[in-house]
Amino acid sequence: EPEVTQTPSHQVTQMGQEVILRCVPISNHLYFYWYRQILGQKVEFLVSFYNNEISEKSEIFDDQFSVERPDGSNFTLKIRSTKLEDSAMYFCASGNRENQPQHFGDGTRLSIL
Amino acid sequence: GNSVTQMEGPVTLSEEAFLTINCTYTATGYPSLFWYVQYPGEGLQLLLKATKADDKGSNKGFEATYRKETTSFHLEKGSVQVSDSAVYFCALNQAGTALIFGKGTTLSVSS
């Protein structure tokens, strides 16, 4: 069964550094999402992406965050200047139609030191 | 705005016990409803879904019925196994927008 894959599985970064989280969505999917889960808390929506542009974003997705689909297969989340509170599990998800379920990757655990 | 409320955990059961995890929602219009499961160290997996009132989603012995009159989508399983130990998330969305998740309920099943 097709999967959403995320790399790396764990990223450790110094505060203030830039980090890029990578995702390969399921190949025929058109809708892409990033979520995060701070340890012990609920899963929170960050941003959705469709037709090469952001379609929706949450309050969490401020100017330090950006997303890109550079080559038609990868979908990346960049955090420009990381803060301690960015430490979380980041999940990528994709879907192929508006009312179909989103499929999630296994996540990238981001640890900011 | 839209929201999801699920029962606080952890839920601790013996193998073969009956499971109910309550989930209620607040939404305008007619959302789609989902249960996702997160096994230890893994990502979120779709467990089941329902897209309209009175639909019943089912998978791996789990069931949930979309009840519009009570705005609920409770998860049930007749006989849990140790392998069902995980965190269960109720979620909703509308027309492909962001999923809104509940806080998650940890289920621990012992043999």
Side-chain angles (χ1 to χ4, degrees), chain B residues 7 77 84 87 96 103:
Chain B
M7 63 188 285
K77 187 174 185 182
D84 294 326
V87 182
K103 290 186 176 180

Side-chain angles (χ1 to χ4, degrees), chain A residues 18-100:
Chain A
E18 175 183 285
V19 67
I20 296 176
L21 309 182
R22 302 182 192 279
C23 171
V24 179
I26 294 173
S27 62
N28 65 341
H29 284 186
L30 302 175
Y31 298 82
F32 312 113
Y33 309 84
W34 283 101
Y35 295 82
R36 78 171 185 192
Q37 183 183 29
I38 294 172
L39 187 64
Q41 298 187 25
K42 70 191 314 185
V43 178
E44 302 172 292
F45 168 71
L46 293 177
V47 65
S48 59
F49 193 85
Y50 170 71
N51 201 24
N52 286 321
E53 60 183 22
I54 290 173
S55 49
E56 188 183 4
K57 60 183 181 179
S58 72
E59 293 176 352
I60 302 168
F61 194 86
D62 61 22
D63 290 345
Q64 70 163 342
F65 290 93
S66 62
V67 290
E68 199 175 35
R69 188 155 161 79
D71 56 15
S73 62
N74 289 283
F75 179 51
T76 61
L77 174 69
K78 181 192 290 186
I79 309 174
R80 251 180 288 281
S81 177
T82 50
K83 304 191 283 279
L84 292 175
E85 54 264 37
D86 294 327
S87 295
M89 182 74 88
Y90 287 81
F91 291 106
C92 174
S94 69
N96 64 353
R97 285 199 298 277
E98 274 199 329
N99 59 349
Q100 293 299 304

Side-chain angles (χ1 to χ4, degrees), chain A residues 31 33 35 37 40-45 48 56 89 91 97-107, chain B residues 4 32 34 36 38 41-46 49 51 89 93-103:
Chain A
Y31 298 82
Y33 309 84
Y35 295 82
Q37 183 183 29
Q41 298 187 25
K42 70 191 314 185
V43 178
E44 302 172 292
F45 168 71
S48 59
E56 188 183 4
M89 182 74 88
F91 291 106
R97 285 199 298 277
E98 274 199 329
N99 59 349
Q100 293 299 304
Q102 297 169 23
H103 296 263
F104 284 76
D106 283 345
Chain B
V4 174
S32 295
F34 307 89
Y36 282 83
Q38 186 178 30
E42 298 185 16
L44 294 162
Q45 298 177 26
L46 177 69
K49 68 179 173 80
T51 57
F89 292 92
N93 77 348
Q94 293 181 280
T97 58
L99 281 166
I100 296 171
F101 286 88
K103 290 186 176 180

